[in-house]
């Protein structure tokens, strides 16, 4: 117990120091509020469910204090009240202590079986232990998908009266459930609540039990305490009335007799289909509640769960749909991640979505809006442009008949259904391109690709069971480079980017110069004679950019395709010779280990001091793509790279979220910036982890050297034999593919093709 006490005290001091430093920069202030459609006309409130329980163990001292310090002083702290054997109220997020504490390790023989509201329930329960006995029990995460690194910090179970003391003046919400269960153990939740309210200011009391609220309503009629009836699932029976919660919802006049508000799960307001899409419209429940004079709070909000695909994995967009839809606004949110609704309410609501500027940070799409539609399709590009991308990109590949096409990978197996098509027999091994077999773009003609293959949406987090927009996973059409250039001309863009890779291989093995084809396509579409759209050529191969600098005046971006901690001065000098900007991956700026940031590198400063713009890639909305430091919030991540690291541009699968960030009303508040819009302290979480649970650091990242940058000059395209007819691909100039069939056949591995083809067929059937 001494060890736990020392560890807890030291950790508490450390987290308080870090978080106080975070908010010391500015006092919490909201910009001038626009009219709200809440019951009172005031801004919605944020209710932290067990504190910041999305990161720290729920109802722990860290969770409660960080919920206020990382958001604002008016964030409400919700405590789920449980009673101990000796009648003391404690905050625990689950009635079964085994789901939120280490009690099974401390009292291994303490499992009991009880009937809870008619349901047989097995576990460990607070009614079987005194407060003294529970003092040896520690809190831990309640949802297994969340980090377990703080489970060994030995957070004690807190008494209710301790919660408002974690942050003086904080607003307290008590949630009371299972009153009947406590009565069966000769404990009175009513007596406890009335008693605690005499010594602690209780601002809200909620319960899903009618009789409990009716038993206390007269005692709070003349107080400022609000009573809230909490609705559980529509088909669940409320024990006091023996009616389902769905039935009670139809009688809000009755609810008004003992409550000032209702708390419902978010799906009561925005129903969701079985395949996780929003139904066509919201219900009338918010307006119905307001007509009865009831406030309505929406619950069940998390950043680290699957939300309806309509929101593109953007939790802030989900919050906005409940408060900024033009029809209604809930009066508050119950959430495990209080920072995100704070952002939505304070900085992202009621803004002018028609405003479009192309200033910093520059938003560069990654294969179009590839988070919503298959890479490089017309749908992905159209959404990227409509969502406010400044620049849209075309990673250019070449077909068998020499046509340049926008496609995210040279291997068709990465982004199409080619493995399930008649062309699956064209599989080959090409070690120069990748270590695994593939069917490559130059194995098929443009007609074969466009008429026979379907695109396939990218799922970078499929290992976590997360898939993108399943209704549209094969939607859209591929674009040739010329189609792409034509498409971009009438869009509100500042520029386009063409990415060129594998140029040397295509010259040597396929006898096609992609560089010549790109230049010809740009010329044919008039890009060399206009200034409205800036053209940028990107490559991870310096020889490509060197040749482009020799032959054109387009902007050039060098992509560093490995994680580095810095760049040697001499390597930066080399980069300056052929590039105007550099794209670096996220970890090259914020180095992390096991999803905890270790430090910020000096790479951005080094490159910018040399006059190079810095773009960071690839930002994604899926919470599993972000270190824990970014709080499962894509806007915290964007803000950290833009305000914290000062990058010039961001490369994103979700341009809509990046554009929303640029439009937010708090960007230029200076010293009045709300706490929740300040960059997170770099690497502040890892020191809070107990020594026994510290993630391994791993090897340090390398420094970029001259040898990593300098590439041999590109080879020349072989002379074309005039006796062999050469087809001229449409609008591609010199990108002809003479003798392509002969060249490609020398690449294939005929001995292994049959075996590989069989494996591809079997694999395709399994995957499909």
């Amino acid at each position: 117990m001494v060890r736990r006490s020392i560890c807890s005290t030291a950790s508490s001091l450390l987290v308080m120091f870090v978080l106080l430093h975070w908010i010391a920069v500015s006092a919490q202030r909201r910009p001038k509020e626009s009219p709200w459609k809440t019951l009172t006309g005031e801004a919605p409130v944020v209710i932290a469910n067990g504190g910041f329980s999305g990161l720290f163990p729920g109802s722990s001292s860290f969770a409660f204090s960080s919920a206020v310090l990382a958001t604002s002083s008016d964030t409400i702290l919700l405590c789920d009240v449980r009673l101990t054997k000796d009648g003391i109220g404690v905050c625990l997020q689950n009635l079964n202590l085994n789901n939120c504490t280490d009690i099974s390790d401390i009292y291994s023989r303490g499992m009991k079986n009880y009937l809870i509201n008619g349901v047989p329930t097995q576990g460990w329960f607070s009614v079987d232990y005194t407060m003294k006995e529970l003092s040896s029990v520690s809190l831990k995460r309640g949802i297994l998908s969340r980090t377990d690194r703080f489970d060994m910090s030995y957070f004690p179970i807190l008494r209710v009266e301790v919660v408002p003391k974690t942050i003086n003046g904080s607003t307290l919400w008590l949630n009371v459930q299972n009153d009947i269960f406590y009565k069966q153990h000769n404990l009175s939740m009513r007596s406890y609540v009335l008693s605690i309210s005499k010594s602690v200011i209780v601002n809200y009391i909620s319960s899903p039990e009618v009789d409990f609220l009716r038993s206390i309503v007269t005692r709070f009629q003349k107080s400022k305490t609000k009573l809230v009836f909490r609705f559980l699932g529509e088909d669940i029976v409320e024990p006091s009335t023996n009616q389902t919660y769905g039935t009670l919802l139809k009688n809000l006049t009755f609810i008004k007799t003992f409550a000032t508000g209702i708390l419902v799960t978010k799906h009561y307001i925005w129903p969701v289909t079985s395949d996780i899409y929003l139904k066509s419209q919201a219900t009338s429940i918010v307006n119905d509640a307001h007509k009865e004079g009831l406030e309505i709070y929406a619950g069940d909000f998390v950043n680290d769960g699957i939300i309806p695909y309509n929101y593109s994995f953007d939790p802030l967009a989900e919050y906005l749909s409940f408060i900024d839809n033009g029809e209604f606004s809930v009066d508050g949110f119950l959430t495990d991640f209080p920072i995100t609704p704070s952002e939505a309410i304070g900085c992202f609501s009621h803004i002018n979505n028609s405003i479009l500027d192309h200033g910093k940070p520059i938003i560069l799409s990654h294969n179009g809006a590839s988070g919503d539609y298959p890479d490089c399709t017309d749908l992905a590009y159209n959404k990227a442009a409509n969502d406010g991308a400044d620049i849209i990109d075309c990673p250019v590949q070449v077909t068998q008949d020499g046509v340049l096409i926008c496609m995210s990978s040279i291997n068709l197996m990465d982004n199409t259904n080619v493995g399930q098509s008649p062309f699956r027999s064209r599989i080959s091994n090409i070690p120069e391109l990748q270590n695994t077999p593939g069917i490559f773009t130059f194995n098929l003609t443009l007609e074969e690709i466009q008429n026979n293959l379907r695109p396939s949406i990218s799922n970078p987090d499929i290992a976590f069971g997360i898939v993108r927009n399943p209704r549209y996973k094969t939607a859209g059409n591929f674009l040739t480079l010329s189609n792409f250039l034509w498409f971009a001309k009438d869009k509100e863009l500042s520029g386009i980017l063409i990415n060129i890779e594998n140029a040397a291989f295509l010259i040597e093995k396929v006898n096609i110069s992609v560089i010549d084809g790109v230049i010809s396509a740009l010329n044919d579409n008039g890009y060399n004679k206009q200034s409205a759209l800036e053209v940028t050529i990107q490559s991870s191969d310096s020889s490509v950019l060197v040749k482009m600098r020799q032959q054109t005046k387009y902007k050039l971006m060098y992509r560093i395709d490995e994680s580095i901690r810095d760049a040697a001065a001499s390597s930066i000098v080399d980069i300056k010779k052929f590039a105007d900007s550099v794209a670096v991956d996220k970890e090259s700026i914020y180095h992390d280990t096991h999803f905890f940031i270790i430090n910020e590198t000096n790479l951005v400063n080094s490159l910018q001091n040399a006059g190079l713009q810095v773009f960071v890639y690839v930002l994604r909305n899926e919470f599993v793509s972000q270190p824990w430091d970014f709080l499962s919030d894509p806007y915290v991540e964007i803000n950290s790279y833009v305000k914290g690291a000062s990058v010039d541009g961001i490369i994103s699968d979700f341009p809509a979220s990046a554009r929303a960030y640029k439009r937010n009303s708090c960007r230029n508040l200076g010293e009045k910036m709300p706490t929740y819009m300040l960059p997170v302290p770099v690497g502040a979480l890892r020191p809070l982890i107990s020594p026994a649970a510290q993630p391994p650091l791993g090897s340090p990242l390398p420094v970029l050297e001259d040898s990593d940058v300098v590439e041999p000059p590109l080879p020349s395209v072989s002379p074309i034999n005039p006796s062999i007819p050469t087809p001229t691909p449409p609008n591609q100039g010199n990108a002809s593919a003479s003798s392509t069939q002969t060249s490609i056949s020398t690449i294939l591995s005929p001995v292994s093709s049959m075996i590989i083809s069989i494996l591809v067929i079997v694999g395709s059937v399994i995957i499909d």
Side-chain angles (χ1 to χ4, degrees):
M1 289 305 299
V2 173
R3 176 174 63 86
R4 292 190 178 198
S5 177
I6 294 173
C7 181
S8 178
T9 301
S11 296
S12 297
L13 289 173
L14 182 56
V15 76
M16 290 297 290
F17 172 79
V18 171
L19 295 174
L20 285 172
H21 174 73
W22 189 357
I23 67 167
V25 181
S26 67
Q28 163 62 31
R29 297 183 186 178
R30 281 204 182 105
K32 184 178 179 180
E33 296 176 350
S34 300
W36 292 95
K37 294 183 180 294
T38 56
L39 181 64
T40 63
E42 298 179 355
V45 297
V46 177
I47 310 149
N49 184 30
F52 212 128
S53 55
L55 179 61
F56 299 110
S59 300
S60 66
S61 56
F62 275 25
F64 282 126
S65 59
S66 62
V68 176
L69 293 173
T71 57
S72 64
S73 59
D74 55 2
T75 294
I76 301 167
L77 303 179
L78 183 139
C79 162
D80 284 290
V81 183
R82 316 291 176 186
L83 294 179
T84 64
K85 187 176 183 179
D86 45 351
I88 295 174
V90 294
C91 296
L92 289 164
Q93 287 200 285
N94 201 291
L95 181 67
N96 183 353
L97 273 63
N98 196 40
N99 291 337
C100 58
T101 74
D102 63 356
I103 194 168
S104 61
D105 296 328
I106 307 302
Y107 300 108
S108 58
R109 298 183 179 180
M111 183 185 295
K112 295 290 181 66
N113 290 280
Y114 290 123
L115 202 64
I116 311 292
N117 292 339
V119 179
T121 307
Q122 186 179 69
W124 282 256
F125 303 90
S126 60
V127 295
D128 296 316
Y129 302 91
T130 64
M131 187 66 212
K132 182 178 180 180
E133 290 171 326
L134 289 179
S135 64
S136 59
V137 176
S138 301
L139 297 168
K140 67 178 185 179
R141 59 181 174 153
I143 297 178
L144 295 180
S145 61
R146 293 173 178 170
T147 180
D148 62 350
R149 298 290 176 177
F150 298 106
D151 286 357
M152 294 184 66
S153 295
Y154 303 114
F155 293 111
I157 297 173
L158 300 180
R159 295 180 181 227
V160 171
E161 58 268 27
V162 173
V163 175
K165 296 178 182 178
T166 57
I167 297 292
N168 289 330
S170 56
T171 305
L172 182 63
W173 180 311
L174 299 183
N175 183 56
V176 177
Q177 297 192 193
N178 309 112
D179 179 50
I180 296 174
F181 171 69
Y182 291 110
K183 287 179 180 178
Q184 293 170 350
H185 289 80
N186 299 316
L187 295 168
S188 174
M189 187 63 80
R190 178 182 184 275
S191 297
Y192 173 77
V193 168
L194 295 178
S195 174
I196 194 69
S197 64
K198 295 176 181 178
S199 57
V200 175
I201 298 176
V202 179
N203 305 87
Y204 298 82
I205 299 173
S206 63
S207 176
E209 298 177 35
V210 171
D211 277 0
F212 173 74
L213 290 176
R214 295 178 71 179
S215 72
I216 64 173
V217 63
T218 56
R219 297 292 297 270
F220 288 98
Q221 280 180 336
K222 296 182 179 180
S223 73
K224 294 183 179 180
T225 303
K226 295 183 178 182
L227 302 186
V228 179
F229 182 61
R230 184 170 192 170
F231 282 80
L232 303 182
E234 292 184 64
D235 297 328
I236 296 177
V237 175
E238 193 280 320
S240 307
T241 62
N242 204 32
Q243 298 182 56
T244 65
Y245 286 97
T247 301
L248 287 171
L249 186 62
K250 299 175 183 177
N251 194 358
L252 293 178
T253 302
F254 169 64
I255 304 299
K256 186 69 168 66
T257 63
F258 57 85
T260 60
I262 61 175
L263 170 61
V264 299
T265 61
K266 59 187 180 182
H267 296 156
Y268 270 92
I269 301 170
W270 277 107
V272 176
T273 63
S274 59
D275 58 345
I276 321 180
Y277 286 86
L278 293 177
K279 291 188 177 179
S280 57
Q281 61 184 16
T283 66
S284 62
I285 183 175
V286 176
N287 290 329
D288 292 344
H290 285 169
K291 287 177 183 178
E292 286 291 342
L294 290 165
E295 292 185 311
I296 178 168
Y297 307 93
D300 196 31
F301 286 89
V302 296
N303 288 12
D304 57 351
I306 301 300
I307 61 178
Y309 293 109
N310 310 69
Y311 300 122
S312 301
F313 298 97
D314 183 340
L316 189 143
E318 182 180 33
Y319 286 107
L320 288 176
S321 72
F322 285 81
I323 59 175
D324 193 18
N325 55 58
E327 299 295 329
F328 62 82
S329 172
V330 298
D331 298 279
F333 295 106
L334 177 61
T335 175
D336 292 5
F337 294 84
I339 191 169
T340 311
S342 297
E343 297 164 349
I345 295 166
C347 300
F348 288 81
S349 58
H350 306 116
I351 59 176
N352 189 346
N353 289 326
S354 65
I355 296 176
L356 184 65
D357 72 87
H358 293 304
K360 293 183 180 180
I362 301 167
I363 303 170
L364 172 57
S365 75
H366 180 241
N367 306 321
S370 56
D372 293 294
Y373 295 107
D375 295 1
C376 304
T377 57
D378 53 350
L379 294 178
Y381 286 130
N382 194 60
K383 191 170 195 306
N386 291 339
D387 285 347
D390 297 306
I391 302 171
I392 58 173
D393 66 310
C394 168
V396 69
Q397 312 296 343
V398 63
T399 65
Q400 190 181 74
D401 47 345
V403 180
L404 300 187
I405 187 171
C406 299
M407 196 163 284
S408 59
S409 173
I410 195 171
N411 182 5
L412 291 167
M413 294 178 69
D414 292 337
N415 47 30
T416 76
N417 67 330
V418 70
Q420 303 162 46
S421 76
F423 308 115
R424 56 181 173 263
S425 62
R426 300 189 189 182
I427 194 166
S428 60
N429 276 308
I430 306 180
E432 298 98 320
L433 294 179
Q434 59 186 48
N435 296 325
T436 55
I439 302 173
F440 302 95
T441 57
F442 49 78
N443 294 142
L444 277 73
T445 65
L446 176 65
E447 182 180 3
E448 288 174 328
I449 292 174
Q450 291 188 329
N451 294 344
N452 297 278
L453 301 187
R454 297 194 312 272
S456 178
I457 200 166
S458 60
N459 290 306
D461 297 306
I462 190 65
F464 297 94
I466 296 177
V467 298
R468 291 173 167 176
N469 203 4
R471 286 186 182 177
Y472 297 89
K473 62 183 180 180
T474 61
N477 300 299
F478 296 118
L479 299 183
T480 65
L481 175 59
S482 288
N483 294 150
F484 171 84
L485 296 174
W486 175 85
F487 166 87
K489 282 187 175 182
D490 64 344
K491 298 297 184 292
E492 293 187 76
L493 303 166
S494 64
I496 61 165
L497 178 143
I498 301 173
N499 182 34
I500 300 174
E501 301 294 341
N502 306 305
F505 170 86
L506 292 170
I507 291 173
E508 292 178 341
K509 303 297 184 179
V510 189
N511 201 35
I512 291 178
S513 171
V514 176
I515 292 177
D516 291 345
V518 167
I519 294 173
S520 294
L522 287 167
N523 292 344
D524 291 345
N525 284 273
Y527 277 78
N528 59 330
K529 298 177 182 178
Q530 57 86 49
S531 58
L533 288 176
E534 186 173 74
V535 177
T536 300
I537 306 298
Q538 182 194 69
S539 183
S540 61
D541 187 341
S542 61
S543 61
V544 170
L545 301 180
V546 168
K547 187 168 183 179
M548 273 290 182
R549 173 140 291 179
Q550 293 169 351
Q551 298 185 11
T552 71
K553 295 183 179 180
Y554 299 130
K555 293 289 186 180
L556 304 174
M557 180 185 293
Y558 181 54
R559 182 171 63 86
I560 300 174
D561 56 5
E562 64 174 331
S563 298
I564 58 175
R565 70 176 185 271
D566 208 343
S570 55
S571 69
I572 295 177
V573 171
D574 287 333
I575 294 172
K576 280 282 291 181
K577 295 176 182 177
F578 57 78
D580 308 290
S581 59
V582 180
V584 300
D585 74 343
K586 296 193 298 183
E587 192 171 0
S588 294
I589 298 175
Y590 291 121
H591 182 35
D592 70 89
T593 176
H594 293 258
F595 295 97
F596 286 92
I597 294 177
I598 301 173
N599 56 35
E600 180 180 359
T601 71
N602 193 50
L603 181 60
V604 175
N605 285 334
S606 298
L607 295 171
Q608 288 179 338
N609 289 340
L612 293 162
Q613 285 189 316
V614 179
F615 287 71
V616 59
Y617 70 88
V618 173
L619 271 62
R620 308 203 306 270
N621 286 355
E622 293 95 339
F623 64 93
V624 294
S625 71
Q626 305 150 11
W628 293 110
D629 302 67
F630 296 143
L631 311 176
S632 301
D633 183 329
Y635 294 89
V636 173
E637 181 176 43
I638 293 172
N639 197 44
S640 296
Y641 283 105
V642 174
K643 290 292 187 182
S646 299
V647 298
D648 299 284
I650 53 180
I651 302 172
S652 175
D653 286 1
F654 298 89
S657 298
R659 175 55 61 179
Y661 172 80
K662 287 182 70 169
R663 287 184 174 129
N664 87 79
S665 59
C666 296
R667 283 191 62 205
N668 300 313
L669 291 181
E671 294 182 356
K672 297 180 181 180
M673 183 71 70
T675 302
Y676 46 78
M677 288 301 292
L678 296 173
V680 296
V682 175
L685 287 185
R686 196 174 62 85
L688 303 181
I689 302 171
S690 68
Q694 279 286 334
L697 288 179
S699 302
L701 296 175
V703 173
L704 189 73
E705 302 290 350
D706 298 45
S707 57
D708 301 313
V709 174
V710 178
E711 302 282 351
L714 292 175
S716 300
V717 178
S718 300
I720 298 173
N721 187 339
S723 64
I724 301 177
T726 303
T728 303
N731 298 318
Q732 300 303 324
N734 294 328
S736 300
S738 64
S739 305
T740 301
Q741 280 296 120
T742 303
S743 299
I744 293 174
S745 65
T746 64
I747 303 171
L748 304 180
S749 176
V751 176
S752 59
S753 289
M754 182 176 68
I755 298 174
I756 297 172
S757 297
I758 295 172
L759 294 175
V760 170
I761 295 170
V762 174
S764 298
V765 171
I766 294 173
I767 294 172
D768 194 49

